[in-house]
Amino acid sequence: MSLLTVRDLRVVIDGLHILHGVDLDVAATGVTALLGRNGAGKTTTVKAVMGLVPRTGTVTFDGTDIGRLPTHRVVRRGIGYAPEDRGVFAHLSVAENLRLAERDPHPAYDLVHELFPELERRRGQPAGTLSGGQQQMVAIARTLLNGNRLIIADEPTKGLAPKIVTEVADVLARAAETVPVLLVEQNLALVRRVAGHCAVLADGRTAHQGDARALLADEDAARRLLGVGAHRPAAPAAPEGGPR
Amino acid sequence: MNTVVLLTCTGLGLGALYFLIASGLSLIFGLMDVLNFAHGALLSIGAYAAWWAATDGGLGFWPAVPFGVLVGTAASVLLELALIRPLYARPRDQILATVGVGLALPALITGVWGSDARPFPQPAALSGTVDLLGAAVPVNRFVLIAAALAVLLLLRLFLARTRYGLIVRAGVEDRAMVTALGIDVRRAFTLVFAIGGAAASLGGALAGLYFGSVNPSQGTGLLVFAFVVVVMGGMGSVTGAAVASVGVGLVQQFANYYTAAGLGDLSVVVLLAVLLLVKPRGLTGRLA
Amino acid sequence: MTTHLKRWWPLALLLALAAAPYSALPLPGLLDGPLGSPGSLQLIALCLLYGGLATGYDLLLGRTGLLSFGHALYFATGLYATDLAMLEFGLGFVPAALLGTACSVLLALVLGAVSLRVTGIGFSMVTLAFAQAGAILVQRNPGGYTGGEEGRSAPAEHLPDALIGIQNTANLYWIALAYLVLVLAVVHWTVSSPTGRVWAGIRENERRVEVLGLRPYGFKLVAFTVSGALAGAGGVVYLLLTGGATPQAAGSDATLALLVMVVLGGSGTRWGPLLGGVLYTWAAHRLGDLANSGSVAELPSVLRVPLSQPLFLLGTLFVAVVHLLPGGLAALPARLRPGRAARAAAPVTAVPEGAA
């Protein structure tokens, strides 16, 4: 039983076809990983689900069609979104960044402060002056403040130091105990650790869906679909083709 | 010395007028990327509504000003809801729509009240001069400056202390991300149009005081200078607009007086081009 | 038969227009006097001139996607430079006209080179600033050259006899017609040239042009300069038609009028800007007369006041076209055809409200 079902998702931006028909099922529990090489359309797919880019196709969330809803109403259905570039408001303070995300009458600040004690200490600091890892914490914290039914995190560990990657992974694993997570990730070690189900995109289409660990254990399939052995590529990730 | 004091006060008064136009313009552009060519027309609406209320309406000056602000605000909200909102997916067409409104509204005012300047009633309390350091400065200069300061203070409070102020500040940085937090940013759009319309129409009513009369093309004439202020101050920055208003008003007054007439206006406009060329990012400023 | 009609109607129309001065056809409502009368010819000539100006402006707006708010500057430069060359340097009309147009080209080249360093709305505002500076300069009458508010009349003694006097209106009319044909030819030729295809690419997506290894800047500057040259030549024709240079030609309203014409008619189409220019100019002149006519004067003021202001009607029509008819009047036939209309009306995709 999947919580989010995407069928034949297509995106055209400025005359460029970016997605040619993506199918995606996000499991109702645990972490679903969205994988693929750079430029395969992972970020565009999650943006299209969020309604941040013009899209066609069907997107069903918990039985209702959200494929035509504007972004803010998609979010209000209970989807928390931590975008690829973290989407932190650099000139606002940490507290203001969090306050902006409040939707529930009683936002879960206890949880956020327990997971990220640093954010509480730095609440008055402009978010733009935070380190990359701290900014990512702000982005994830914003999704945890409300009682979301799905969290979408787009490359939350990109560009982070290994120690911080572990920290973020811990938080995602902990969050996934109570709320399903759709995780776009290049770090396959992390995927192996947290993900159950996975989908692989190639050239704007779904190339594979199935069990994440099974895929990563199959060296041939992993190399064919992801272009790598089952470890993170050495070169730093280039930005994807889609617009910000 | 007398002349310097008088020029300073007049320049500050003019700067205050620019600020009343530019603050809203700046917020609207910063948040929505809409360069509102109808903003001058909103000023004219405020000016004529106040003028009408003070003369034909028989309200007297003091109630006429809030009346003008009310009408201007309503017109601005109507403009956003009816003409700008349906065009959100077509940013260039939004600007074109405001161009059309900017042409049509002054023409309508001309149709109703004629193209000649109408004398604006000056209440006795504001018609005299104040002796400041030996110069006789018209009281209305101080009224404008006080009004602009009050608007600046209110805007800063709004931006710093209210949830919608927070949404506006965040939206200036990244509008899409605001919606991705579940916020209907369109409400903030309507709100900044309301704020901009209110400030501009207040400017219109007070411009009647400053110039002594109202005419249909007054607002459009001031608009270009307001653009200069907005770009100088950084799009979306209210404090920047305030500082730039003062600068532009003073430069204009002093240059017009001490060099050939018109050179002040010219230098300010050329300054706009130079600024944009030297600092193209001036268009994507930040709120402060 | 119909394909022949489709192919040859522009030529037929051109011949009909060229023959108009010999016609005494009365067009009540459309024109005050018969077709060939000086008054009518003068109005049609202005319509044709603005049709040409709008077509030249669309080289920027519709063909290259550049929203310039300063086009009137190059029009006014051609107008004033030609007039002043005759008045101050005592040049004959033809050398003065060449000089005036050359001034426009040069100014467009220099200011275009500067303005195009910024993109998007920044470009629009820089062009606006330059044009506004020009307008202020003309208004303030530096050194008594521009004549300030009054403007300056063209010196009759420097103009050829065939271009002076009401009896020679037909000659001026033919010049305006020739100007329009020139603009249409230049625009058609440049747009279908390799450069024109790059312009189309820039309009669609500038970044993709860069990816192809081309520098959009140079191509945009060519468009800006050609468009400025056409505007300058239009200024010369305007000088002949109105017999003088007035500051209204330099004001920002003049640029906005061109913008309205182009969008009204249909930006980026072959005939749209021409249609818009003709319609706008005709309406701006005739609606004023209409308002003074008996039938309107008797209307209640709620109707009479808006009807008496051409700019109000045109501004409102413009807003309506922007909203309801994105392709302008030129897109109307295609819209009215069933099937196509339905497709054009239905948005293909859900559009995000925050992005864009």
Side-chain angles (χ1 to χ4, degrees), chain C residues 21 37 234 255:
Chain C
S37 67
T255 300

Side-chain angles (χ1 to χ4, degrees), chain A residues 106-125:
Chain A
H106 303 290
Y109 276 107
D110 293 348
L111 173 67
V112 166
H113 290 152
E114 183 202 328
L115 290 174
F116 307 112
E118 219 173 331
L119 296 186
E120 195 177 10
R121 283 199 300 276
R122 296 177 182 273
R123 59 192 315 283
Q125 191 176 332

Side-chain angles (χ1 to χ4, degrees), chain B residues 92, chain C residues 57-67 259 262-263 267:
Chain B
R92 177 173 285 190
Chain C
Y57 177 64
D58 196 42
L59 210 52
L60 293 179
L61 184 69
R63 305 293 189 170
T64 320
L66 293 170
L67 179 56
L259 182 67
V262 167
V263 174
S267 173

Side-chain angles (χ1 to χ4, degrees), chain B residues 224-286:
Chain B
V224 173
F225 298 113
F227 282 156
V228 183
V229 166
V230 169
V231 173
M232 264 180 90
M235 291 287 189
S237 165
V238 170
T239 310
V243 175
S245 301
V246 171
V248 169
L250 288 177
V251 165
Q252 228 179 335
Q253 286 299 318
F254 277 90
N256 276 345
Y257 184 83
Y258 285 109
T259 64
L263 208 64
D265 302 2
L266 195 68
S267 58
V268 165
V269 175
V270 173
L271 188 67
L272 168 62
V274 171
L275 270 172
L276 284 164
L277 292 164
V278 175
K279 194 185 75 160
R281 297 202 146 263
L283 284 169
T284 52
R286 55 157 298 194

Side-chain angles (χ1 to χ4, degrees), chain B residues 2-137:
Chain B
N2 288 359
T3 321
V4 171
V5 172
L6 187 60
L7 282 175
T8 306
C9 290
T10 306
L12 286 175
L14 193 61
L17 194 51
Y18 290 157
F19 174 73
L20 291 176
I21 313 172
S23 50
L25 210 52
S26 186
L27 279 181
I28 291 170
F29 187 89
L31 184 65
M32 305 168 65
D33 289 338
V34 173
L35 194 59
N36 185 14
F37 273 84
H39 218 70
L42 293 175
L43 178 134
S44 295
I45 286 183
Y48 270 84
W51 168 81
W52 177 85
T55 55
D56 298 356
L59 278 182
F61 177 80
W62 294 111
V65 172
F67 177 79
V69 172
L70 211 63
V71 174
T73 310
S76 189
V77 168
L78 196 68
L79 169 69
E80 201 279 326
L81 290 178
L83 296 179
I84 309 293
R85 179 166 286 208
L87 298 174
Y88 278 149
R90 292 149 56 192
R92 177 173 285 190
D93 287 349
Q94 288 184 324
I95 297 175
L96 295 183
T98 67
V99 167
V101 173
L103 287 175
L105 279 181
L108 187 63
I109 292 175
T110 307
V112 179
W113 286 293
S115 58
D116 295 335
R118 298 293 188 110
F120 197 85
Q122 308 271 336
L126 304 179
S127 55
T129 58
V130 173
D131 190 74
L132 185 71
L133 300 172
V137 182

